């Protein structure tokens, strides 16, 4: 059973084109509650092959996730390496720093 007793910030980035053709990024920060675990050995070695360093597995409610590619946890920013559906209610975000 997962306990959602940690706060995770989902970082939603949107890009807008403004004249004369410049792209401007805006970020929306969405706070959600999560269960957190350290990334397992399998995730660690799999991630190293692709130049990433998996550190955490965050489990959140699936309806809260909208494809964000970055998260913040304890003041640090992490990339979402991959996602995994646990069941129809939960999704796992495998996250880490770029190596």
């Amino acid at each position: 059973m997962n306990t959602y007793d940690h706060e995770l910030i989902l970082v939603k980035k949107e890009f807008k084109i403004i004249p004369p053709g410049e792209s401007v990024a805006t970020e929306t920060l969405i706070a959600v509650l999560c269960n957190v675990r350290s990334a397992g050995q399998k995730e660690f070695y799999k991630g190293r092959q692709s130049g990433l360093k998996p550190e955490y597995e965050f489990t959140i409610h699936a309806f809260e996730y909208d494809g964000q590619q970055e998260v913040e946890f304890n003041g640090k920013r992490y990339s979402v390496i991959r996602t995994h559906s646990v069941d129809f209610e939960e999704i796992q975000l495998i996250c880490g720093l770029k190596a």
Side-chain angles (χ1 to χ4, degrees):
M1 182 170 124
N2 289 323
T3 59
Y4 291 81
D5 51 1
H6 297 278
E7 183 177 76
L8 180 70
I9 307 294
L10 303 175
V11 181
K12 184 175 185 176
K13 289 188 177 186
E14 295 180 293
F15 296 92
K16 296 181 182 178
I17 304 294
I18 58 170
E22 287 185 42
S23 179
V24 175
T26 58
E27 291 184 344
T28 304
L29 305 178
I30 304 158
V32 298
L33 293 176
C34 71
N35 183 56
V36 62
R37 293 183 357 187
S38 293
Q41 278 188 337
K42 180 181 174 184
E43 290 296 336
F44 179 79
Y45 288 110
K46 193 182 228 182
R48 295 295 282 195
Q49 293 173 352
S50 59
L52 298 169
K53 183 182 174 194
E55 291 189 35
Y56 293 108
E57 295 178 6
F58 300 105
T59 304
I60 64 172
H61 293 104
F63 70 88
E64 296 176 314
Y65 184 67
D66 190 25
Q68 291 88 348
Q69 293 300 305
E70 288 186 1
V71 298
E72 281 185 20
F73 182 68
N74 288 340
K76 281 189 174 178
R77 229 177 237 207
Y78 297 92
S79 295
V80 177
I81 297 169
R82 73 177 189 91
T83 62
H84 170 73
S85 292
V86 177
D87 55 34
F88 68 96
E89 290 182 355
E90 296 178 318
I91 189 167
Q92 230 176 30
L93 309 178
I94 314 305
C95 300
L97 300 170
K98 292 184 181 179

